[in-house]
Amino acid sequence: MRSFFKWTAILIVIGAIGAAGWFGLDRYQHRFVRTDNDLVTLLPPGDLTTFYINIAALRKGRLLHLLTGITPASEKDYTDFVSDTGFDYTRDMDALVGGVNNENETFFLIRGRFDWPKVQQFAAAHGGTCEDEACRAPGTKPHRWVNFIRIQPDTIGLAISENATAADLLRPPGRRLQDMPPGDPIWVSVASSLIKDPTGLPKPLQIFAISMQAAKSVVLSAGQPEHGNEAFTVQLEASFPNAPSADTTCKQLQLQTQMLRLELAHENRQPNPADLTGLLTAGTFQVGNTHLFGTWPVRKEFLNALE
C-alpha cells in the first residue's frame, strides 16, 4: 500500500510538471512579440520616422549614457507616464521602438517589465479610463490623448495622438516587413516626407536631408567603433532607384565634406573632435550598386562635451 501511494505521488508530480511545461509552451507559442523585430512589425503602416533602441544591450555593455539627450524626453506625456508608473528605463526597459508620422502622432512599442495595475492607476489619476487591456487619459496638451494597450505581459503599446484610440493601431498581428532592420543597438529610419521637407530640422541636418532627396530609404545606425579613440560610428545606408542616383549623391556628400574642411582651413581652424566640425569632416562615403554607405566616427570627446 505504501508503495502504491509513493508511485501515485510521483505520477501526480510528473503530471503537474508536464502540465506546467505545456502551459508555458502554449503561452510562448501564442506570444506575438518574441524578438525586437516583432516590435517593428506592430507599428502602423505609413510614412513614419521609425527608431529602435536595444536598451538591454546598452545596459549590458554599460553604454546607457549614450541615450543622454536622445530619449523622447521632449514628449511630456511620455515622461509623465514613465515617472508616474514607476517605470525606470535603465532598469525595467529592454527594447524601445517608436514611430512618428506627419500627423503629429507618436507611437511606442516597449518591451520590459511592467506593473500593469500602476499603469491603470496612471490613467485613473489623469482623468482617464481603462477597459480590458486598454487605457486612455487626456494628454498635457489640448485635444491630445495618451492611450496604451497591453499586448502581452512584457510588451505594451503607447500612442500619443488626437485620436483617443490610436493605440489600437498597435495591436497584433501587425504587418510584414519589406526589409529587415539593421542589427545595431540604435537605428533610425527616416520618413520620406521628412527628407522631402526638412524645414523643421537643425541646419546641418537640413543640408544632409536635401542631399538625400533622391533616395527611396534612409537608415542611420550606431555601429561598433573602428578605433580606440572612438565611442561608436554613425552609419548610413540609403537605397536609390538606380546606381547613377546613388553615385551622384555620394559625390555630393563628399564635396560637402571637403568644402567644410576647406572652410575650416581658410579660418585657420582644425576640426574639433568635441564638436560637429570633427564629426562631419570625418565622414567617408562609398557606393555599392544602388546603395550609398556612409560612416562618421563619433569620438569620445564629442560625447563628453554633451554631458
Side-chain angles (χ1 to χ4, degrees):
M1 182 65 69
R2 184 177 299 174
S3 176
F4 171 78
F5 284 117
K6 175 182 176 181
W7 283 106
T8 301
I10 291 173
L11 290 173
I12 290 173
V13 170
I14 292 173
I17 293 173
W22 178 87
F23 178 74
L25 179 62
D26 182 70
R27 288 196 65 184
Y28 176 78
Q29 289 177 336
H30 289 86
R31 285 194 171 198
F32 291 98
V33 177
R34 301 184 192 177
T35 69
D36 289 350
N37 284 347
D38 293 335
L39 294 173
V40 182
T41 67
L42 294 180
L43 285 172
D47 188 28
L48 298 174
T49 292
T50 306
F51 61 89
Y52 164 75
I53 305 175
N54 186 335
I55 295 176
L58 297 181
R59 182 166 53 239
K60 184 177 180 180
R62 299 183 179 180
L63 297 173
L64 281 178
H65 62 280
L66 296 181
L67 299 184
T68 303
I70 65 170
T71 53
S74 59
E75 184 62 81
K76 190 175 185 306
D77 291 323
Y78 174 85
T79 55
D80 285 350
F81 170 80
V82 169
S83 62
D84 290 1
T85 57
F87 185 79
D88 181 356
Y89 82 89
T90 63
R91 180 194 65 216
D92 301 321
M93 189 185 295
D94 290 335
L96 172 68
V97 166
V100 183
N101 62 22
N102 56 11
E103 297 176 3
N104 201 25
E105 292 182 311
T106 305
F107 301 92
F108 298 102
L109 278 306
I110 308 169
R111 186 171 60 80
R113 288 153 295 282
F114 306 95
D115 187 335
W116 186 250
K118 281 190 176 181
V119 173
Q120 294 173 311
Q121 291 169 14
F122 166 85
H126 288 76
T129 58
C130 291
E131 185 175 347
D132 296 328
E133 302 284 273
C135 298
R136 64 179 183 178
T140 56
K141 297 178 182 178
H143 312 297
R144 298 275 283 174
W145 289 88
V146 181
N147 49 107
F148 33 90
I149 58 173
R150 182 159 72 160
I151 295 169
Q152 61 191 43
D154 65 346
T155 306
I156 64 171
L158 170 65
I160 302 169
S161 167
E162 293 183 359
N163 178 2
T165 60
D168 287 340
L169 297 173
L170 304 174
R171 292 187 182 277
R175 56 194 171 88
R176 184 182 296 274
L177 295 179
Q178 293 183 345
D179 300 302
M180 290 301 295
D184 297 309
I186 301 174
W187 57 259
V188 178
S189 177
V190 186
S192 60
S193 58
L194 190 58
I195 293 292
K196 290 180 172 58
D197 181 16
T199 52
L201 296 175
K203 197 67 176 179
L205 293 181
Q206 286 186 30
I207 297 172
F208 170 76
I210 291 170
S211 302
M212 305 302 298
Q213 287 188 341
K216 295 194 300 181
S217 65
V218 177
V219 178
L220 295 163
S221 61
Q224 293 293 324
E226 297 178 355
H227 302 95
N229 60 355
E230 298 170 3
F232 60 95
T233 58
V234 175
Q235 299 173 339
L236 162 70
E237 181 175 355
S239 171
F240 289 82
N242 50 62
S245 295
D247 188 59
T248 299
T249 303
C250 180
K251 291 176 179 177
Q252 189 174 358
L253 290 173
Q254 290 171 336
L255 178 61
Q256 290 173 353
T257 302
Q258 182 61 22
M259 288 178 62
L260 178 56
R261 293 176 187 145
L262 292 173
E263 183 178 346
L264 290 172
H266 180 72
E267 298 174 356
N268 295 317
R269 295 171 56 197
Q270 293 292 324
N272 185 349
D275 63 27
L276 282 174
T277 60
L279 176 65
L280 297 177
T281 56
T284 58
F285 310 95
Q286 60 182 351
V287 171
N289 197 8
T290 59
H291 284 73
L292 166 63
F293 303 94
T295 301
W296 294 268
V298 179
R299 297 276 293 269
K300 294 177 181 178
E301 297 93 326
F302 183 79
L303 289 184
N304 293 336
L306 295 177
E307 294 179 354

